[in-house]
Amino acid sequence: MNSKTVNRRGNSIELPSSKDENAQPSKLVSRWNQVWQSLSHHLMKDNEPQVWQRRDRYGNVWWVAYDPASGRSLLCSTEQEVRIWLEQTRYR
């Protein structure tokens, strides 16, 4: 009996159930796939821009953006400024 698992990209993967006697090689393959997906996710993630919000001691909200591909960062007060900066940074 097989069970289905959906990975982060929405792909369905058939995994053997724990009751399957021939599951040992499949478990190894499944574990290898998990390690590979995790590694590729981290490698791809490192090049993706990162955006987050911070509050200063006065309660003001600031947008912080960092683009690891270019090494540039930005601190601004509006989301729109971040969007413009990301578009400009990505098309250079």
Side-chain angles (χ1 to χ4, degrees), residues 36-77:
W36 178 253
Q37 286 177 0
S38 178
L39 178 63
S40 63
H41 175 71
H42 287 293
L43 291 174
M44 295 170 114
K45 183 180 175 184
D46 289 342
N47 281 333
E48 291 295 318
Q50 301 166 14
V51 178
W52 64 95
Q53 289 182 328
R54 292 231 170 127
R55 287 191 185 271
D56 63 17
R57 60 183 165 181
Y58 303 108
N60 300 317
V61 176
W62 294 95
W63 288 86
V64 183
Y66 173 67
D67 181 20
S70 67
R72 295 181 179 181
S73 60
L74 173 74
L75 176 67
C76 59
S77 60

Side-chain angles (χ1 to χ4, degrees), residues 2-34:
N2 289 339
S3 62
K4 286 189 177 183
T5 302
V6 178
N7 66 14
R8 293 180 185 171
R9 296 183 181 173
N11 299 329
S12 178
I13 302 171
E14 293 274 333
L15 297 176
S17 68
S18 58
K19 296 177 185 177
D20 190 351
E21 293 179 4
N22 299 325
Q24 191 62 29
S26 296
K27 284 183 182 180
L28 179 61
V29 170
S30 176
R31 182 65 182 143
W32 174 252
N33 285 337
Q34 289 173 350

Side-chain angles (χ1 to χ4, degrees), residues 78-85:
T78 67
E79 181 182 353
Q80 184 64 28
E81 289 175 292
V82 173
R83 290 179 183 273
I84 292 169
W85 180 79

